Amino acid sequence: MPFIMNRRNFIVATSALAFAPKALAAETHKVDMLNVAPDNPRARNVFAPRLFLVQPGDTVSFLSTDRSHNSASIDGMIPEGAEAWDGAINADIDVTFEMPGIYGYECTPHLALGMVGVVIVEGDGKLDNLEAAQAVRQRGRARQAFAEIWEEAEAAGYLS
């Protein structure tokens, strides 16, 4: 059956285009899971970068650049109603962020060594879960790593 561009089909097609800019504007951000930080050889078991700002609809690709790492959301450190993730060890994982807010993540086997990070998704309510995320009890070097991340986020203007 041939497609005929009549008035009805034109209206349907142009209406669909109204929603296309958001989908077309979505970006993919890359995070390397590393044994050694690229800018500091004394820093071990890191995400690079460990803090960044994204827009709703953006995807973060956590890349298993070095072996023995994964990316997983941290309980209590994602917005209520957001989807948690738990990547497999030695595997890349793509996470698309639709809901504004603070998302804390970890490398499960290296959490106590401070292998953690934060994604902040822009939009109304981006700071609604900030206090809850900061209140999550951390162990080992993760406590200090998150303290540094919160300071970096504040200095970059991400928490205003």
Side-chain angles (χ1 to χ4, degrees):
M1 173 188 276
F3 179 78
I4 299 172
M5 182 56 79
N6 58 25
R7 182 179 173 178
R8 180 181 178 278
N9 289 342
F10 177 78
I11 291 171
V12 169
T14 55
S15 297
L17 289 176
F19 298 101
K22 181 181 178 197
L24 294 175
E27 292 184 42
T28 299
H29 307 268
K30 295 182 185 323
V31 175
D32 289 311
M33 298 182 274
L34 301 168
N35 293 335
V36 179
D39 58 347
N40 181 0
R42 295 185 336 162
R44 307 278 181 185
N45 299 308
V46 296
F47 290 103
R50 67 179 183 178
L51 168 69
F52 52 97
L53 193 65
V54 302
Q55 298 298 318
D58 284 0
T59 297
V60 175
S61 293
F62 293 94
L63 305 174
S64 182
T65 308
D66 292 334
R67 298 188 51 76
S68 303
H69 303 295
N70 77 323
S71 173
S73 57
I74 299 174
D75 290 341
M77 292 189 77
I78 65 173
E80 188 174 325
E83 190 172 331
W85 71 94
D86 188 5
I89 303 292
N90 298 325
D92 297 349
I93 182 172
D94 292 337
V95 180
T96 301
F97 295 90
E98 298 292 345
M99 184 179 297
I102 308 291
Y103 294 78
Y105 60 92
E106 66 181 35
C107 172
T108 307
H110 300 116
L111 171 62
L113 298 176
M115 191 169 178
V116 296
V118 171
V119 174
I120 301 173
V121 181
E122 284 279 30
D124 290 339
K126 83 172 181 182
L127 301 179
D128 287 357
N129 71 315
L130 175 61
E131 286 184 29
Q134 290 177 326
V136 171
R137 187 165 183 228
Q138 301 298 334
R139 59 189 173 102
R141 293 183 189 156
R143 181 180 10 245
Q144 179 61 34
F146 273 118
E148 293 169 2
I149 290 169
W150 299 130
E151 286 178 18
E152 291 171 28
E154 185 68 43
Y158 294 169
L159 302 181
S160 56

